Amino acid sequence: MLANKHIGSDKGFLPEGLFICFEAEKQRIDYRNEMNGDNFKGWFEYILPRLDPNSVIVMDNEPYHSVKAKTYPTACWKKSEILKWLNSRGVTFDRPMLKSQLLIRVRELKPHNNLYVIDSLAKDAGHTVLRLPPYHHELNPIELAWEMVKGYVKRENTSFEIDDIRLLLNTGIERVTAENWKNFIQQVIEEENKMWKVDDIMDELIDEIEPCMNKIMGETSYDSFSD
C-alpha cells in the first residue's frame, strides 16, 4: 500500500509535488498513524515556494492539516498545569480559584478563530488556505484527480508489488492532464453552485413559512386566553 500527498491546479499536478508518506506490504496497516503534522508540514514547506503567487490552497480538515499554532489548556489538563500556564502569561489571582474558573480565564485569552500552523505558513508565503466544510470532499478537485489515478492503477496492477505500484502511481499522475484538471475544477464549481441554489431555496421556504408560523402561534396564544 502507498499513501501519498500531492497538489495541483488548472495547470495539472505540481511537478515534483508528490510525497509518498508511507509504504507497506500489508494493507491493514493504517497510514494515518504515519502521516502526522510534522510530516505534512515538511512537505507543505517544500511545495509552497513552487506555487503560483497568491494561490488559494483548498484543504480538508484532516488532523495533520489542522495542527494549531498554539496550544491552550483544556479540561483534561491538571489544575496546577492550567494555573502555571496562566501565570506564565502574567495572569495571577489574589485568592484560590476553582479549575472551572481558571478555564474561563483561559477562554478569555484564547482567540476566537483557530490559528493553524499550515495557514500561517501559507500566509507568510503569500498564499491563502481555504478549508472545506467537514465531510464535503466533493468540493475538492484533487479528489476527482485521485479517482482517475487510482482507476488507472487498479486497471493496470497485475503484480501487486510495491515497486510496480509506485511506477503505476507515477504514470497515473502523468496521465492526468491540465485539461482534466480544468474539467475537475469546473465540476466542483457546478457542485458548489447547486449547493448555493439549495441554500437559496431553503431561505425562500423559511421566509414563506415563518409568517405563517408566527400567525398560527399568535392565534393559538390568543385563543388559549379566550373564554
Side-chain angles (χ1 to χ4, degrees):
M1 181 182 72
L2 294 177
N4 51 76
K5 284 290 173 184
H6 215 319
I7 190 168
S9 67
D10 58 359
K11 296 180 179 179
F13 275 112
L14 180 71
E16 300 181 1
L18 177 63
F19 171 44
I20 297 179
C21 57
F22 183 55
E23 297 184 12
E25 296 288 347
K26 299 178 180 179
Q27 293 187 0
R28 67 175 178 270
I29 297 177
D30 190 348
Y31 77 90
R32 288 170 295 186
N33 294 330
E34 300 297 324
M35 172 56 85
N36 55 44
D38 290 336
N39 290 339
F40 183 77
K41 178 174 176 285
W43 171 77
F44 196 69
E45 289 175 320
Y46 169 78
I47 60 100
L48 279 176
R50 292 165 172 77
L51 302 180
D52 289 341
N54 302 314
S55 290
V56 176
I57 305 166
V58 179
M59 188 178 298
D60 62 25
N61 292 283
E62 287 283 356
Y64 49 83
H65 294 165
S66 307
V67 176
K68 294 181 180 179
K70 294 183 180 180
T71 302
Y72 292 87
T74 67
C76 296
W77 286 35
K78 293 181 179 179
K79 180 179 178 180
S80 59
E81 294 173 338
I82 299 173
L83 186 58
K84 182 179 179 181
W85 185 90
L86 287 167
N87 290 161
S88 69
R89 284 152 180 79
V91 180
T92 58
F93 303 95
D94 56 5
R95 59 185 176 83
M97 304 290 285
L98 298 174
K99 183 176 180 179
S100 59
Q101 293 174 312
L102 295 177
L103 287 172
I104 290 173
R105 188 69 183 98
V106 169
R107 284 197 293 271
E108 292 172 351
L109 297 174
K110 189 176 179 180
H112 294 296
N113 298 320
N114 286 321
L115 299 176
Y116 298 112
V117 171
I118 295 304
D119 297 49
S120 297
L121 289 172
K123 183 178 180 181
D124 291 343
H127 307 299
T128 303
V129 171
L130 176 62
R131 291 179 174 272
L132 296 175
Y135 314 113
H136 280 289
H137 298 296
E138 70 274 20
L139 296 178
N140 196 341
I142 202 169
E143 296 294 334
L144 297 172
W146 279 130
E147 283 184 18
M148 184 174 173
V149 173
K150 288 187 286 187
Y152 171 78
V153 173
K154 183 177 180 180
R155 289 192 305 272
E156 301 298 324
N157 184 18
T158 56
S159 69
F160 300 96
E161 297 291 335
I162 287 291
D163 289 341
D164 293 336
I165 294 173
R166 180 194 284 271
L167 291 174
L168 289 173
L169 173 64
N170 287 323
T171 302
I173 288 171
E174 291 172 359
R175 287 168 58 88
V176 183
T177 65
E179 191 62 33
N180 292 138
W181 266 93
K182 290 175 183 176
N183 290 334
F184 299 151
I185 292 169
Q186 185 58 39
Q187 288 181 52
V188 168
I189 291 173
E190 291 172 1
E191 188 66 29
E192 185 178 2
N193 287 337
K194 290 179 185 177
M195 293 181 178
W196 279 114
K197 288 180 180 178
V198 170
D199 284 344
D200 289 340
I201 292 171
M202 289 300 297
D203 281 345
E204 291 175 3
L205 288 174
I206 291 171
D207 285 344
E208 292 176 3
I209 292 172
E210 279 186 341
C212 296
M213 291 299 296
N214 290 336
K215 184 177 180 181
I216 292 171
M217 294 300 292
E219 290 175 350
T220 302
S221 298
Y222 178 79
D223 291 342
S224 64
F225 289 102
S226 299
D227 292 328

